[in-house]
Coordinates of all heavy atoms in Angstrom, one line a residue:
M1 N 108.5 102.3 84.8 CA 108.1 101.3 85.7 C 106.6 101.5 86.1 O 106.3 102.6 86.5 CB 109.0 101.3 87.0 CG 108.6 100.4 88.1 SD 108.7 98.6 87.7 CE 110.3 98.4 87.1
M2 N 105.7 100.5 85.9 CA 104.3 100.7 86.2 C 103.8 99.4 86.9 O 104.2 98.3 86.6 CB 103.5 100.8 84.9 CG 102.0 101.1 85.2 SD 101.1 101.4 83.8 CE 100.9 99.8 83.1
L3 N 103.0 99.6 87.9 CA 102.5 98.5 88.7 C 101.0 98.8 88.8 O 100.5 99.8 89.1 CB 103.0 98.6 90.1 CG 102.6 97.5 91.1 CD1 103.1 96.1 90.6 CD2 103.2 97.7 92.4
E4 N 100.2 97.8 88.4 CA 98.7 97.9 88.4 C 98.2 97.5 89.7 O 98.4 96.5 90.2 CB 98.2 97.0 87.3 CG 96.7 97.1 87.1 CD 96.1 96.3 86.0 OE1 96.9 95.9 85.1 OE2 94.9 96.1 86.0
L5 N 97.4 98.4 90.3 CA 96.7 98.2 91.6 C 95.4 97.4 91.4 O 95.1 96.5 92.1 CB 96.4 99.5 92.3 CG 97.6 100.3 92.7 CD1 97.2 101.6 93.3 CD2 98.4 99.5 93.8
S6 N 94.7 97.8 90.4 CA 93.5 97.1 90.1 C 93.2 97.5 88.6 O 94.0 98.1 88.0 CB 92.3 97.6 91.0 OG 92.0 99.0 90.8
N7 N 92.0 97.2 88.2 CA 91.7 97.6 86.8 C 91.4 99.1 86.6 O 91.2 99.5 85.5 CB 90.5 96.8 86.3 CG 89.2 97.0 87.1 OD1 89.2 97.7 88.1 ND2 88.2 96.4 86.6
C8 N 91.4 99.9 87.7 CA 91.2 101.3 87.6 C 92.3 102.2 88.1 O 92.2 103.4 87.9 CB 89.9 101.6 88.3 SG 89.9 101.4 90.1
C9 N 93.3 101.6 88.7 CA 94.4 102.5 89.3 C 95.8 101.9 88.9 O 95.9 100.7 88.8 CB 94.3 102.5 90.8 SG 92.9 103.4 91.4
H10 N 96.7 102.8 88.6 CA 98.1 102.3 88.3 C 99.1 103.2 89.1 O 98.8 104.3 89.4 CB 98.3 102.6 86.8 CG 97.5 101.7 85.9 ND1 97.8 100.4 85.6 CD2 96.3 102.0 85.3 CE1 96.8 99.9 84.9 NE2 95.9 100.9 84.6
L11 N 100.2 102.5 89.4 CA 101.3 103.2 90.1 C 102.5 103.2 89.2 O 102.8 102.2 88.6 CB 101.6 102.3 91.4 CG 102.4 102.9 92.5 CD1 101.7 104.1 93.1 CD2 102.6 101.9 93.6
T12 N 103.1 104.4 89.1 CA 104.2 104.6 88.2 C 105.4 105.2 88.9 O 105.2 105.9 89.9 CB 103.9 105.4 87.0 OG1 103.5 106.7 87.4 CG2 102.7 104.8 86.1
G13 N 106.6 105.0 88.3 CA 107.8 105.7 88.8 C 108.8 105.7 87.6 O 108.8 104.9 86.8
S14 N 109.6 106.8 87.6 CA 110.5 106.9 86.5 C 111.7 107.8 86.9 O 112.1 107.9 88.1 CB 109.7 107.6 85.3 OG 110.5 107.6 84.2
H15 N 112.2 108.5 85.9 CA 113.4 109.4 86.1 C 113.1 110.7 86.8 O 114.0 111.5 87.1 CB 114.1 109.6 84.8 CG 113.3 110.5 83.9 ND1 112.2 110.0 83.2 CD2 113.5 111.8 83.6 CE1 111.7 111.0 82.5 NE2 112.5 112.1 82.7
N16 N 111.8 111.0 87.0 CA 111.4 112.3 87.5 C 111.4 112.3 89.0 O 110.8 113.3 89.6 CB 110.0 112.7 86.9 CG 108.9 111.7 87.3 OD1 109.1 110.7 88.0 ND2 107.7 112.0 86.9
S17 N 111.9 111.3 89.7 CA 112.0 111.3 91.1 C 110.7 111.3 91.8 O 110.5 111.9 92.9 CB 112.9 112.4 91.7 OG 114.2 112.4 91.1
K18 N 109.7 110.6 91.2 CA 108.3 110.6 91.8 C 107.7 109.2 91.6 O 107.9 108.6 90.6 CB 107.4 111.6 91.1 CG 107.8 113.0 91.2 CD 106.8 113.9 90.4 CE 107.2 115.3 90.3 NZ 106.3 116.1 89.5
V19 N 107.0 108.8 92.6 CA 106.1 107.7 92.5 C 104.7 108.3 92.4 O 104.3 109.1 93.3 CB 106.2 106.7 93.7 CG1 105.1 105.6 93.7 CG2 107.6 106.1 93.8
Q20 N 103.9 107.9 91.4 CA 102.6 108.5 91.2 C 101.5 107.5 91.1 O 101.7 106.4 90.5 CB 102.6 109.4 89.9 CG 103.5 110.6 90.0 CD 103.4 111.4 88.8 OE1 104.0 111.1 87.8 NE2 102.6 112.5 88.9
L21 N 100.4 107.8 91.7 CA 99.2 106.9 91.6 C 98.2 107.6 90.7 O 98.0 108.8 90.8 CB 98.5 106.7 93.0 CG 97.3 105.9 93.0 CD1 97.6 104.4 92.6 CD2 96.5 105.9 94.3
W22 N 97.8 106.8 89.7 CA 96.9 107.4 88.7 C 95.5 106.6 88.7 O 95.5 105.4 88.9 CB 97.5 107.2 87.3 CG 98.8 107.8 87.1 CD1 100.0 107.3 87.4 CD2 99.1 109.1 86.6 NE1 101.0 108.1 87.1 CE2 100.5 109.3 86.6 CE3 98.3 110.1 86.1 CZ2 101.1 110.4 86.1 CZ3 98.9 111.2 85.6 CH2 100.3 111.4 85.6
K23 N 94.5 107.3 88.4 CA 93.2 106.7 88.3 C 92.8 106.7 86.8 O 92.9 107.7 86.1 CB 92.1 107.4 89.1 CG 90.7 106.9 89.0 CD 89.8 107.7 89.8 CE 88.3 107.3 89.6 NZ 87.4 108.1 90.3
C24 N 92.3 105.6 86.3 CA 91.8 105.5 84.9 C 90.5 106.3 84.8 O 89.6 106.2 85.6 CB 91.6 104.1 84.5 SG 93.1 103.2 84.3
G25 N 90.5 107.2 83.8 CA 89.3 108.0 83.5 C 88.2 107.2 82.9 O 88.3 106.0 82.6
Q26 N 87.1 107.8 82.6 CA 85.9 107.2 82.1 C 86.3 106.5 80.7 O 86.9 107.1 79.9 CB 84.8 108.2 81.8 CG 83.5 107.6 81.4 CD 82.4 108.7 81.4 OE1 82.7 109.9 81.4 NE2 81.2 108.2 81.2
G27 N 85.9 105.3 80.6 CA 86.2 104.5 79.4 C 87.6 104.1 79.2 O 88.0 103.7 78.1
F28 N 88.4 104.3 80.3 CA 89.9 104.0 80.2 C 90.6 104.8 79.1 O 91.5 104.3 78.5 CB 90.1 102.5 80.1 CG 89.6 101.7 81.2 CD1 88.4 101.0 81.0 CD2 90.2 101.6 82.4 CE1 87.8 100.3 82.1 CE2 89.7 100.9 83.4 CZ 88.5 100.2 83.3
R29 N 90.1 106.0 78.8 CA 90.7 106.8 77.7 C 91.8 107.8 78.2 O 92.5 108.3 77.4 CB 89.6 107.6 77.0 CG 88.7 106.6 76.3 CD 87.6 107.4 75.5 NE 86.7 106.5 74.9 CZ 86.7 106.2 73.6 NH1 87.6 106.8 72.8 NH2 85.8 105.4 73.1
H30 N 91.8 108.1 79.5 CA 92.8 109.0 80.0 C 93.1 108.6 81.5 O 92.4 107.9 82.1 CB 92.4 110.4 79.9 CG 91.2 110.8 80.7 ND1 89.9 110.5 80.3 CD2 91.1 111.4 81.9 CE1 89.1 110.9 81.2 NE2 89.8 111.5 82.2
L31 N 94.2 109.2 82.0 CA 94.6 108.9 83.4 C 94.5 110.3 84.1 O 94.8 111.3 83.6 CB 96.1 108.5 83.5 CG 96.3 107.1 82.9 CD1 97.8 106.8 82.9 CD2 95.6 106.0 83.6
E32 N 94.1 110.1 85.4 CA 94.0 111.3 86.3 C 94.9 111.1 87.5 O 94.8 110.0 88.1 CB 92.5 111.4 86.8 CG 91.5 111.6 85.7 CD 90.1 111.5 86.2 OE1 89.9 111.5 87.5 OE2 89.2 111.3 85.4
P33 N 95.8 112.0 87.8 CA 96.7 111.8 88.9 C 96.0 111.9 90.2 O 95.1 112.8 90.4 CB 97.7 113.0 88.8 CG 97.0 114.0 87.9 CD 96.1 113.3 87.0
L34 N 96.2 111.0 91.1 CA 95.6 111.0 92.4 C 96.6 111.6 93.5 O 96.2 112.4 94.3 CB 95.2 109.6 92.8 CG 94.0 109.0 92.0 CD1 93.7 107.6 92.5 CD2 92.8 109.8 92.1
F35 N 97.8 111.1 93.5 CA 98.8 111.7 94.4 C 100.2 111.3 94.0 O 100.4 110.4 93.2 CB 98.5 111.3 95.9 CG 98.7 109.8 96.2 CD1 100.0 109.3 96.5 CD2 97.6 109.0 96.3 CE1 100.2 107.9 96.8 CE2 97.8 107.6 96.6 CZ 99.1 107.1 96.9
T36 N 101.2 112.0 94.5 CA 102.6 111.9 94.2 C 103.4 111.7 95.4 O 103.2 112.4 96.4 CB 103.1 113.1 93.4 OG1 102.3 113.2 92.2 CG2 104.5 113.0 93.0
I37 N 104.4 110.8 95.4 CA 105.3 110.6 96.5 C 106.7 111.0 96.0 O 107.2 110.3 95.1 CB 105.3 109.2 97.1 CG1 103.9 108.8 97.5 CG2 106.3 109.0 98.2 CD1 103.7 107.3 97.7
P38 N 107.3 112.0 96.5 CA 108.7 112.3 96.0 C 109.7 111.4 96.6 O 109.8 111.1 97.8 CB 108.9 113.8 96.6 CG 108.0 113.9 97.7 CD 106.8 113.0 97.5
V39 N 110.6 110.9 95.7 CA 111.7 110.0 96.1 C 112.9 110.4 95.2 O 112.8 110.4 94.0 CB 111.4 108.5 95.9 CG1 110.4 108.0 96.9 CG2 110.9 108.2 94.5
P40 N 114.0 110.9 95.8 CA 115.1 111.4 95.0 C 115.8 110.3 94.3 O 116.3 109.4 94.9 CB 116.0 112.1 96.0 CG 115.6 111.5 97.3 CD 114.2 111.1 97.2
G41 N 115.8 110.3 92.9 CA 116.5 109.4 92.1 C 115.6 108.7 91.1 O 114.4 109.1 90.9
F42 N 116.1 107.8 90.4 CA 115.4 107.0 89.4 C 114.6 105.9 90.1 O 115.2 105.1 90.8 CB 116.3 106.3 88.4 CG 117.0 107.3 87.4 CD1 118.1 107.9 87.7 CD2 116.4 107.4 86.1 CE1 118.7 108.8 86.8 CE2 116.9 108.3 85.2 CZ 118.1 109.0 85.5
V43 N 113.3 105.8 89.9 CA 112.5 104.8 90.4 C 112.7 103.6 89.5 O 112.2 103.6 88.4 CB 111.0 105.2 90.6 CG1 110.2 104.0 91.1 CG2 110.9 106.4 91.4
N44 N 113.4 102.5 90.0 CA 113.7 101.4 89.1 C 112.8 100.2 89.4 O 112.8 99.3 88.6 CB 115.2 101.0 89.3 CG 116.1 102.1 88.7 OD1 115.8 102.5 87.6 ND2 117.1 102.4 89.4
S45 N 112.2 100.1 90.5 CA 111.3 99.0 90.8 C 110.2 99.4 91.8 O 110.5 100.3 92.7 CB 112.0 97.8 91.3 OG 112.7 98.1 92.5
L46 N 109.1 98.8 91.7 CA 108.0 99.0 92.7 C 107.4 97.7 93.1 O 107.1 96.8 92.2 CB 106.9 99.9 92.0 CG 107.2 101.3 91.7 CD1 106.2 102.0 90.8 CD2 107.4 102.1 93.0
K47 N 107.1 97.5 94.3 CA 106.5 96.2 94.8 C 105.7 96.5 96.1 O 106.2 97.2 97.0 CB 107.7 95.2 95.1 CG 107.2 93.9 95.6 CD 106.7 93.0 94.5 CE 106.4 91.6 95.0 NZ 105.6 90.9 94.2
F48 N 104.6 95.9 96.2 CA 103.8 95.9 97.4 C 104.2 94.8 98.3 O 104.6 93.7 97.9 CB 102.3 95.8 97.1 CG 101.7 97.0 96.5 CD1 101.4 97.0 95.2 CD2 101.4 98.1 97.3 CE1 100.8 98.2 94.6 CE2 100.8 99.2 96.8 CZ 100.5 99.3 95.4
S49 N 104.2 95.1 99.6 CA 104.4 94.0 100.6 C 103.3 93.0 100.5 O 102.2 93.3 100.0 CB 104.6 94.6 102.0 OG 103.3 95.1 102.4
S50 N 103.5 91.8 101.0 CA 102.5 90.7 100.9 C 101.3 91.1 101.7 O 100.2 90.7 101.4 CB 103.0 89.4 101.4 OG 103.5 89.5 102.7
S51 N 101.4 91.9 102.8 CA 100.3 92.4 103.6 C 99.6 93.5 102.9 O 98.4 93.8 103.3 CB 100.8 92.8 105.0 OG 101.6 94.0 104.9
G52 N 100.2 94.2 102.0 CA 99.6 95.4 101.3 C 99.7 96.6 102.1 O 99.1 97.7 101.8
K53 N 100.4 96.6 103.2 CA 100.5 97.8 104.1 C 101.7 98.7 103.7 O 101.8 99.8 104.2 CB 100.7 97.3 105.6 CG 99.5 96.7 106.1 CD 99.7 96.3 107.5 CE 98.4 95.6 108.1 NZ 98.6 95.3 109.5
F54 N 102.6 98.2 102.8 CA 103.8 99.0 102.5 C 104.0 98.9 101.0 O 103.7 97.9 100.3 CB 105.0 98.5 103.2 CG 104.9 98.6 104.7 CD1 104.6 97.5 105.4 CD2 105.2 99.8 105.3 CE1 104.5 97.6 106.8 CE2 105.1 99.9 106.7 CZ 104.8 98.8 107.4
L55 N 104.6 100.0 100.4 CA 105.0 100.0 99.0 C 106.6 100.1 99.1 O 107.1 101.0 99.9 CB 104.5 101.1 98.3 CG 105.0 101.4 96.9 CD1 104.7 100.2 95.9 CD2 104.5 102.7 96.3
V56 N 107.3 99.3 98.4 CA 108.7 99.3 98.4 C 109.2 99.8 97.0 O 108.8 99.3 96.0 CB 109.4 97.9 98.7 CG1 110.9 98.0 98.7 CG2 108.9 97.4 100.0
A57 N 110.0 100.9 97.0 CA 110.5 101.5 95.8 C 112.0 101.3 95.8 O 112.7 101.8 96.7 CB 110.1 103.0 95.7
G58 N 112.5 100.7 94.7 CA 113.9 100.6 94.5 C 114.4 101.9 93.7 O 113.9 102.1 92.6
V59 N 115.3 102.6 94.3 CA 115.7 103.9 93.7 C 117.2 104.0 93.5 O 117.9 103.4 94.4 CB 115.2 105.1 94.6 CG1 115.6 106.4 94.1 CG2 113.7 105.0 94.8
G60 N 117.6 104.6 92.5 CA 119.1 104.6 92.2 C 119.5 105.9 91.5 O 118.7 106.7 91.1
Q61 N 120.8 106.1 91.4 CA 121.4 107.3 90.7 C 121.2 107.2 89.2 O 121.2 108.2 88.5 CB 122.9 107.4 91.0 CG 123.2 107.8 92.4 CD 124.7 108.0 92.6 OE1 125.5 107.4 92.0 NE2 125.0 108.9 93.6
E62 N 121.1 105.9 88.7 CA 121.0 105.7 87.3 C 119.8 104.8 87.0 O 119.3 104.1 87.8 CB 122.2 105.0 86.8 CG 123.5 105.9 87.0 CD 124.7 105.1 86.7 OE1 124.8 103.9 86.7 OE2 125.7 105.8 86.3
H63 N 119.4 104.9 85.7 CA 118.3 104.0 85.3 C 118.8 102.5 85.3 O 120.0 102.3 85.1 CB 118.0 104.4 83.8 CG 116.7 103.7 83.3 ND1 116.8 102.4 82.7 CD2 115.5 104.1 83.2 CE1 115.6 102.1 82.4 NE2 114.7 103.1 82.6
R64 N 117.9 101.6 85.6 CA 118.3 100.2 85.8 C 118.8 99.6 84.5 O 119.5 98.6 84.5 CB 117.2 99.4 86.4 CG 116.0 99.2 85.6 CD 114.9 98.4 86.3 NE 113.8 98.2 85.4 CZ 113.6 97.0 84.8 NH1 114.4 96.0 84.9 NH2 112.5 96.9 84.0
L65 N 118.4 100.1 83.3 CA 118.7 99.4 82.1 C 119.8 100.2 81.3 O 120.1 99.8 80.2 CB 117.4 99.3 81.2 CG 116.4 98.4 81.8 CD1 115.1 98.5 80.9 CD2 116.8 97.0 82.0
G66 N 120.4 101.2 81.8 CA 121.4 101.9 81.1 C 121.9 103.1 81.9 O 121.4 103.4 82.9
R67 N 123.0 103.7 81.3 CA 123.6 104.8 82.0 C 123.5 106.1 81.2 O 124.4 106.8 80.8 CB 125.1 104.5 82.2 CG 125.3 103.3 83.1 CD 126.7 103.1 83.4 NE 126.9 102.8 84.8 CZ 128.0 102.5 85.4 NH1 129.1 102.6 84.7 NH2 128.0 102.3 86.7
W68 N 122.2 106.4 80.8 CA 122.0 107.6 80.0 C 122.1 108.9 80.8 O 122.6 109.9 80.3 CB 120.6 107.5 79.4 CG 120.4 106.3 78.5 CD1 121.0 106.1 77.3 CD2 119.6 105.2 78.8 NE1 120.7 104.9 76.8 CE2 119.8 104.3 77.7 CE3 118.8 104.8 79.8 CZ2 119.1 103.1 77.6 CZ3 118.1 103.6 79.8 CH2 118.3 102.7 78.7
W69 N 121.6 108.9 82.0 CA 121.7 110.0 82.9 C 122.1 109.6 84.3 O 122.0 108.4 84.6 CB 120.3 110.7 83.1 CG 119.6 111.1 81.8 CD1 120.0 112.1 81.0 CD2 118.4 110.6 81.3 NE1 119.2 112.2 80.0 CE2 118.2 111.3 80.1 CE3 117.5 109.6 81.7 CZ2 117.1 111.1 79.3 CZ3 116.4 109.4 80.9 CH2 116.2 110.1 79.7
R70 N 122.5 110.5 85.1 CA 122.9 110.2 86.4 C 122.5 111.4 87.3 O 122.7 112.5 87.0 CB 124.4 110.1 86.5 CG 124.9 109.7 87.9 CD 126.3 109.3 88.0 NE 126.6 108.8 89.3 CZ 127.8 108.9 89.9 NH1 128.8 109.5 89.2 NH2 127.9 108.5 91.1
L71 N 121.9 111.0 88.4 CA 121.5 112.0 89.4 C 122.4 111.8 90.6 O 122.3 111.0 91.5 CB 120.0 111.8 89.9 CG 119.0 111.9 88.8 CD1 117.6 111.5 89.3 CD2 118.9 113.3 88.2
K72 N 123.4 112.7 90.7 CA 124.4 112.6 91.7 C 123.9 112.8 93.1 O 124.4 112.2 94.1 CB 125.6 113.6 91.5 CG 126.3 113.3 90.2 CD 127.4 114.4 90.0 CE 128.2 114.1 88.7 NZ 129.2 115.1 88.5
E73 N 122.8 113.6 93.3 CA 122.3 113.8 94.6 C 121.5 112.6 95.2 O 121.2 112.5 96.3 CB 121.4 115.0 94.6 CG 120.1 114.9 93.8 CD 120.3 115.3 92.3 OE1 121.5 115.5 91.9 OE2 119.3 115.3 91.6
A74 N 121.1 111.7 94.3 CA 120.4 110.5 94.7 C 121.3 109.4 95.3 O 122.5 109.4 95.0 CB 119.6 109.9 93.5
K75 N 120.7 108.6 96.2 CA 121.4 107.5 96.8 C 120.7 106.2 96.3 O 119.5 106.1 96.3 CB 121.4 107.6 98.3 CG 122.1 108.9 98.8 CD 122.8 108.6 100.1 CE 123.4 109.8 100.7 NZ 124.7 110.1 100.3
N76 N 121.5 105.2 96.0 CA 121.0 103.9 95.7 C 120.4 103.3 96.9 O 121.0 103.3 98.0 CB 122.0 103.0 95.1 CG 122.6 103.5 93.8 OD1 122.0 104.2 93.1 ND2 123.8 103.1 93.5
G77 N 119.2 102.8 96.8 CA 118.6 102.2 98.0 C 117.1 101.9 97.8 O 116.5 101.9 96.7
L78 N 116.5 101.6 99.0 CA 115.0 101.2 99.0 C 114.3 102.3 99.8 O 114.8 102.7 100.8 CB 114.8 99.9 99.6 CG 115.4 98.7 98.9 CD1 115.2 97.4 99.8 CD2 114.7 98.5 97.6
Y79 N 113.1 102.6 99.4 CA 112.2 103.4 100.2 C 111.0 102.5 100.5 O 110.4 101.9 99.7 CB 111.7 104.6 99.4 CG 112.7 105.7 99.3 CD1 113.7 105.7 98.3 CD2 112.7 106.8 100.2 CE1 114.6 106.7 98.2 CE2 113.6 107.8 100.1 CZ 114.6 107.7 99.1 OH 115.6 108.7 99.0
I80 N 110.7 102.5 101.8 CA 109.6 101.7 102.3 C 108.5 102.7 102.7 O 108.7 103.5 103.6 CB 110.0 100.8 103.5 CG1 111.1 99.8 103.0 CG2 108.7 100.1 104.0 CD1 111.6 99.0 104.1
I81 N 107.5 102.7 101.9 CA 106.4 103.7 102.1 C 105.2 103.1 102.7 O 104.6 102.2 102.1 CB 106.1 104.3 100.7 CG1 107.3 104.9 100.0 CG2 105.0 105.3 100.8 CD1 107.2 105.0 98.5
P82 N 104.8 103.5 103.9 CA 103.6 103.0 104.6 C 102.4 103.4 103.9 O 102.3 104.6 103.4 CB 103.7 103.5 106.0 CG 104.6 104.7 105.9 CD 105.5 104.5 104.8
L83 N 101.4 102.5 103.7 CA 100.2 102.8 103.0 C 99.1 102.8 104.0 O 99.0 101.9 104.9 CB 99.9 101.8 101.9 CG 101.0 101.8 100.8 CD1 100.6 100.6 99.9 CD2 101.1 103.1 100.1
K84 N 98.2 103.8 103.9 CA 97.0 103.8 104.8 C 95.8 103.5 103.9 O 95.6 104.3 102.9 CB 96.8 105.1 105.5 CG 97.9 105.4 106.5 CD 97.6 106.8 107.2 CE 98.7 107.1 108.1 NZ 98.5 108.4 108.8
R85 N 95.0 102.5 104.2 CA 93.8 102.2 103.5 C 92.6 102.8 104.2 O 92.5 102.6 105.4 CB 93.6 100.7 103.3 CG 94.6 100.1 102.4 CD 94.2 98.7 102.2 NE 95.0 98.1 101.1 CZ 94.8 96.9 100.6 NH1 93.9 96.2 101.2 NH2 95.4 96.5 99.6
Q86 N 91.8 103.4 103.5 CA 90.5 103.9 104.1 C 89.6 102.7 104.3 O 89.4 101.9 103.4 CB 89.9 105.0 103.3 CG 90.6 106.2 103.2 CD 89.9 107.3 102.4 OE1 89.1 107.0 101.5 NE2 90.2 108.5 102.7
Q87 N 89.0 102.6 105.5 CA 88.1 101.6 105.7 C 86.8 101.9 105.1 O 86.3 103.0 105.2 CB 87.9 101.4 107.3 CG 89.1 100.9 108.0 CD 89.5 99.5 107.6 OE1 88.7 98.7 107.2 NE2 90.8 99.3 107.5
P88 N 86.2 101.0 104.3 CA 84.9 101.3 103.7 C 83.8 101.5 104.7 O 83.9 100.7 105.7 CB 84.6 100.1 102.8 CG 85.5 99.0 103.3 CD 86.7 99.7 103.9
E89 N 82.9 102.4 104.5 CA 81.9 102.6 105.5 C 81.0 101.4 105.5 O 80.9 100.6 104.5 CB 81.0 103.8 105.1 CG 81.8 105.1 105.2 CD 81.0 106.3 104.9 OE1 79.7 106.2 105.1 OE2 81.5 107.3 104.4
Q90 N 80.3 101.2 106.6 CA 79.4 100.0 106.7 C 78.3 100.2 105.6 O 77.8 101.3 105.3 CB 78.7 100.0 108.0 CG 79.7 99.6 109.1 CD 79.0 99.7 110.5 OE1 77.9 100.1 110.6 NE2 79.7 99.2 111.5
E91 N 77.9 99.1 105.0 CA 77.0 99.2 103.9 C 75.6 99.8 104.3 O 75.0 100.5 103.5 CB 76.7 97.8 103.3 CG 76.0 97.8 102.0 CD 76.0 96.4 101.3 OE1 77.0 95.7 101.4 OE2 75.0 96.1 100.8
G92 N 75.2 99.5 105.5 CA 73.9 100.1 106.0 C 74.0 101.6 106.0 O 73.0 102.3 105.7
V93 N 75.1 102.1 106.4 CA 75.3 103.6 106.5 C 75.2 104.2 105.1 O 74.6 105.2 104.9 CB 76.6 104.0 107.2 CG1 76.8 105.5 107.2 CG2 76.6 103.5 108.7
Q94 N 75.9 103.5 104.2 CA 75.9 104.0 102.8 C 74.5 104.0 102.2 O 74.2 104.8 101.4 CB 76.8 103.1 101.9 CG 78.3 103.3 102.2 CD 79.1 102.5 101.4 OE1 78.7 101.5 100.7 NE2 80.4 102.7 101.4
N95 N 73.7 103.0 102.5 CA 72.4 102.9 101.9 C 71.3 103.7 102.7 O 70.1 103.5 102.5 CB 71.9 101.4 101.9 CG 72.8 100.7 100.9 OD1 73.3 101.2 99.9 ND2 73.0 99.4 101.2
G96 N 71.6 104.5 103.7 CA 70.7 105.4 104.4 C 70.0 104.6 105.5 O 69.0 105.1 106.0
E97 N 70.5 103.5 105.9 CA 69.8 102.7 106.9 C 70.3 103.1 108.4 O 69.8 102.5 109.3 CB 70.1 101.2 106.7 CG 69.5 100.7 105.4 CD 70.0 99.3 105.1 OE1 70.6 98.6 106.0 OE2 69.7 98.8 104.0
E98 N 71.2 104.0 108.4 CA 71.7 104.4 109.7 C 70.6 105.0 110.7 O 70.6 104.7 111.8 CB 72.8 105.5 109.5 CG 73.4 106.0 110.8 CD 74.4 107.1 110.6 OE1 75.1 107.0 109.6 OE2 74.5 108.0 111.4
N99 N 69.6 105.7 110.1 CA 68.6 106.3 110.9 C 67.3 105.5 110.8 O 66.2 106.0 111.0 CB 68.3 107.7 110.4 CG 69.5 108.6 110.7 OD1 70.2 108.4 111.6 ND2 69.7 109.6 109.8
G100 N 67.4 104.2 110.4 CA 66.2 103.4 110.3 C 65.4 103.7 109.0 O 64.2 103.4 109.0
V101 N 66.0 104.3 108.0 CA 65.3 104.7 106.8 C 65.1 103.4 105.9 O 65.9 102.6 105.8 CB 66.1 105.8 106.0 CG1 65.4 106.0 104.7 CG2 66.2 107.0 106.8

C-alpha cells in the first residue's frame, strides 16, 4: 500500500506492521526513510483526512487480498494518527531580512 504525499514524499504500509514516510532522493533514484509509525498488523489502507490533520490506517490480522499469513496478536481496526505540520518560517526571516539586512 503506497500513498503519494507530493512529488517528493511517499507513505507506505505493508505486512511489517509499520507505516513509513519516505523522501525521494536526488534524481528520484532512491528512497530515504524519514520516519516510521508502528502499527501492529497488516497495513491494508492509508488515507488522509480532508483537513490533512490526520492519517487513517486500516489494519488487520490478514492481508486484504488473501490469507497468506496471519498475525494473531493484531486486531482488525483503524488507527487515527494525528499529524503535526511544521509552520514554514516567514519568508523575510529566511532571506535574512529579520535584522534589516
Side-chain angles (χ1 to χ4, degrees):
M1 175 63 52
M2 182 175 78
L3 182 65
E4 185 175 341
L5 294 174
S6 67
N7 62 353
C8 66
C9 294
H10 295 279
L11 196 62
T12 62
S14 185
H15 69 284
N16 62 357
S17 299
K18 297 177 187 176
V19 173
Q20 292 184 281
L21 179 66
W22 303 86
K23 178 181 175 183
C24 290
Q26 187 175 11
F28 299 99
R29 293 182 184 255
H30 65 279
L31 294 173
E32 302 169 13
L34 292 178
F35 66 84
T36 300
I37 302 167
V39 290
F42 287 86
V43 179
N44 289 318
S45 64
L46 295 168
K47 179 77 175 165
F48 285 103
S49 65
S50 58
S51 68
K53 294 182 179 181
F54 299 96
L55 171 66
V56 179
V59 180
Q61 289 184 333
E62 298 172 335
H63 189 277
R64 70 181 179 99
L65 297 176
R67 297 185 138 179
W68 299 292
W69 302 294
R70 184 171 184 211
L71 300 174
K72 293 180 182 180
E73 66 276 4
K75 298 212 184 272
N76 297 335
L78 295 174
Y79 284 84
I80 301 174
I81 303 161
L83 301 174
K84 293 182 183 179
R85 289 185 166 186
Q86 291 182 334
Q87 296 296 326
E89 294 182 30
Q90 294 176 352
E91 191 170 321
V93 174
Q94 288 179 348
N95 293 330
E97 296 172 7
E98 180 179 327
N99 297 327
V101 176

